[in-house]
Amino acid sequence: MSVGAKIRRIIGGILMILISFLLILTVTVDSSAGIGLIMAFISVWLIVYGIRLLHYYSKMARYMVGGKTILILGFVVMDLGLFTFSLLDVHSSIIILYLLGVYAFSGAIDVMRAFEQRKNESPWKWKLATGFIEISVALTALVGGVFFRSSTIVVLIFALGIAYSAVARIVDAFIKKPMMAIL
């Protein structure tokens, strides 16, 4: 990982910590505003990520093998971001289920990446632990939302999950990874 990529990961982690503190402060003031704020952050992030993928396709990926996959992924991610933005006026229980699905899916992808890294004999334990923690956070938020019927508990669990992901992102920037050379 280059120095610039490490700095971007650290700055992204710090921004995620600030977002989690903002969520916690928002829930303490108004318990119903937290879920809408989470949805707004997720939708903006997905739209920006989709635009980044489309920009990457237009600059580099169109010349690569499998570049059309990046084009399609860019459109799908941007469309998912717009769909998430349209859910801001929907009932909070649907939003909670949507958030839990997104978070559990992210954890499942981390677990699958860890198994792939294990096959490639790369460091994989940290990625596996991160994936299982994200899945357990999603399940804990589901239990808190279903049994206690409290959106405040769900937002607090997600804020703590975002803070954990931010710390994991910052720590990951400092972990040395082996470089692969193709000869």
Side-chain angles (χ1 to χ4, degrees):
M1 184 182 305
S2 68
V3 175
K6 286 182 181 183
I7 290 172
R8 281 192 301 272
R9 286 189 73 81
I10 292 170
I11 290 173
I14 291 170
L15 286 175
M16 287 171 64
I17 289 173
L18 291 175
I19 288 171
S20 69
F21 284 133
L22 179 68
L23 283 172
I24 291 171
L25 288 175
T26 303
V27 168
T28 56
V29 173
D30 182 19
S31 63
S32 63
I35 292 180
L37 195 59
I38 290 174
M39 290 298 284
F41 283 133
I42 289 176
S43 63
V44 167
W45 181 82
L46 287 171
I47 291 169
V48 168
Y49 184 62
I51 291 172
R52 281 183 59 203
L53 285 173
L54 293 174
H55 181 263
Y56 176 66
Y57 172 78
S58 69
K59 293 294 182 185
M60 272 184 91
R62 65 180 167 176
Y63 304 113
M64 297 171 18
V65 174
K68 289 185 182 177
T69 305
I70 293 174
L71 175 68
I72 293 169
L73 184 65
F75 279 122
V76 168
V77 168
M78 196 168 65
D79 188 43
L80 186 63
L82 293 171
F83 173 71
T84 304
F85 194 71
S86 71
L87 286 177
L88 288 176
D89 295 333
V90 180
H91 192 266
S92 64
S93 62
I94 295 172
I95 293 173
I96 290 172
L97 290 175
Y98 180 75
L99 288 174
L100 295 174
V102 167
Y103 213 76
F105 184 71
S106 172
I109 287 177
D110 280 347
V111 169
M112 288 187 286
R113 282 184 183 164
F115 288 133
E116 182 180 341
Q117 287 177 348
R118 183 178 175 199
K119 271 196 279 189
N120 294 333
E121 298 177 359
S122 296
W124 56 275
K125 293 177 184 174
W126 177 257
K127 184 69 80 175
L128 183 69
T130 303
F132 280 137
I133 288 174
E134 286 179 358
I135 291 172
S136 61
V137 164
L139 291 175
T140 305
L142 177 68
V143 168
V146 169
F147 290 128
F148 297 114
R149 299 201 185 275
S150 172
S151 61
T152 305
I153 292 173
V154 173
V155 172
L156 288 176
I157 289 172
F158 271 107
L160 293 175
I162 289 171
Y164 169 76
S165 295
V167 170
R169 185 181 180 105
I170 292 171
V171 168
D172 187 49
F174 291 108
I175 293 176
K176 289 192 176 198
K177 295 177 181 74
M179 294 287 291
M180 295 182 70
I182 300 173
L183 301 175

